[in-house]
Amino acid sequence: MLIIMGLLLAGAFILQGLFGFFQIKNFTRNYHELRKQGKVLIGRNPKKFRAGSLILMALDGTGKIKEARIMKGVTVFAKFKKIGRLHEKQLQEVAADYDYLAGFDRLTRRCILDAYRNYINFQTGKMEAGAFDTSVNLFSLPLLARLNEIKNKVLLKLGS
């Protein structure tokens, strides 16, 4: 019985990792598509157990939004969807217009405002160095981090 539960748990972690890989692939594809249109601004509203969101906006040199896409959801099945209402709008005006922002759901609003904050930090040179780090540490992925925790617990018990 314990072996079956262990195999099911390991299978669940492997599936999570696989689905996470596909979600990262989806992000990469959308990012590169938007990158062809200009600089890409990212806004996020991460959550652990509730729906989180991530927005990608292609901007021209003046801050006009050429295209915007958002991914919202709790699971790894979330995909990016276009936000047509932001097309050809000035990011600065959108972020400053409370009534316009009120037309979006809470997750989208928070992402837009986070993206605007990142835009201001970039324009003023206050962007943190970590924001430019595009490398991915494979060992920080949730699946491998959890497996590492399990390994450490097992080693701790064996050492006792």
Side-chain angles (χ1 to χ4, degrees):
M1 180 67 171
L2 190 59
I3 293 174
I4 292 173
M5 287 179 52
L7 289 174
L8 286 174
L9 185 63
F13 282 125
I14 290 170
L15 278 176
Q16 178 191 12
L18 183 64
F19 288 137
F21 171 78
F22 288 125
Q23 192 172 43
I24 291 170
K25 196 172 173 184
N26 179 35
F27 169 83
T28 304
R29 182 180 52 79
N30 280 278
Y31 177 84
H32 286 293
E33 287 174 6
L34 292 178
R35 186 68 182 101
K36 293 175 185 174
Q37 298 181 44
K39 292 186 189 230
V40 177
L41 185 60
I42 300 173
R44 58 194 182 101
N45 181 30
K47 299 289 181 187
K48 291 275 185 200
F49 299 107
R50 293 185 301 176
S53 51
L54 180 72
I55 194 167
L56 301 175
M57 292 186 223
L59 301 178
D60 68 7
T62 66
K64 185 183 285 185
I65 302 168
K66 305 309 281 176
E67 187 175 341
R69 299 178 188 179
I70 191 162
M71 176 174 49
K72 294 188 282 189
V74 180
T75 70
V76 292
F77 298 111
K79 301 263 189 234
F80 280 97
K81 295 176 182 147
K82 290 184 181 183
I83 307 174
R85 292 181 52 203
L86 292 175
H87 184 69
E88 296 297 319
K89 299 278 186 189
Q90 284 295 129
L91 176 61
Q92 302 89 326
E93 292 173 9
V94 169
D97 188 345
Y98 177 81
D99 292 330
Y100 190 75
L101 282 174
F104 293 100
D105 63 85
R106 183 177 49 86
L107 292 174
T108 304
R109 266 195 315 270
R110 286 186 179 175
C111 276
I112 292 170
L113 293 174
D114 183 63
Y116 180 65
R117 185 186 48 126
N118 291 337
Y119 177 76
I120 294 299
N121 286 342
F122 177 75
Q123 294 293 343
T124 59
K126 295 181 181 176
M127 185 68 87
E128 297 173 7
F132 297 104
D133 184 12
T134 59
S135 63
V136 175
N137 180 358
L138 181 65
F139 296 104
S140 69
L141 294 174
L143 169 68
L144 295 176
R146 183 66 180 137
L147 289 175
N148 193 31
E149 286 176 23
I150 292 169
K151 176 197 76 163
N152 290 338
K153 285 181 182 178
V154 169
L155 290 176
L156 186 62
K157 285 182 180 180
L158 291 175
S160 300

